[in-house]
Amino acid sequence: MNQELRAIKRVNDWIEQGHPPESEFSNTTIHRIEMGEAYHCSTKVDRRPSFIRELMELGERRAVEFRERR
């Protein structure tokens, strides 16, 4: 995902510089919802239902906060 976000930023930068033309490409705005928690890289393979539930609940709370700020 981070590679795709960097690619979008790169294209946005090119558009701002006039390459490629805006008539063919449009600037894309990306909004990120920060989770506010730091997890060890080992959690990428953690498939315990309790951990998945924890992530989902945290994501739902952060999404509500994100929407309220808009």
Side-chain angles (χ1 to χ4, degrees):
M1 181 174 82
N2 286 328
Q3 287 177 329
E4 291 177 5
L5 291 172
R6 281 191 297 273
I8 291 168
K9 182 180 180 342
R10 189 174 317 121
V11 171
N12 284 344
D13 291 344
W14 291 340
I15 292 168
E16 289 175 15
Q17 297 167 7
H19 315 284
E22 272 192 81
S23 60
E24 297 179 34
F25 294 84
S26 62
N27 196 313
T28 302
T29 302
I30 303 292
H31 299 279
R32 296 184 76 166
I33 299 174
E34 298 294 330
M35 296 301 280
E37 298 289 332
Y39 292 99
H40 188 268
C41 63
S42 64
T43 61
K44 290 182 179 186
V45 295
D46 188 345
R47 301 295 183 253
R48 289 175 296 126
S50 61
F51 182 64
I52 301 297
R53 257 190 315 278
E54 174 186 335
L55 292 177
M56 290 176 66
E57 289 169 2
L58 177 60
E60 289 172 3
R61 285 194 310 272
R62 295 298 186 256
V64 167
E65 293 167 3
F66 178 82
R67 284 190 309 248
E68 288 172 351
R69 288 193 306 268
R70 301 238 156 247

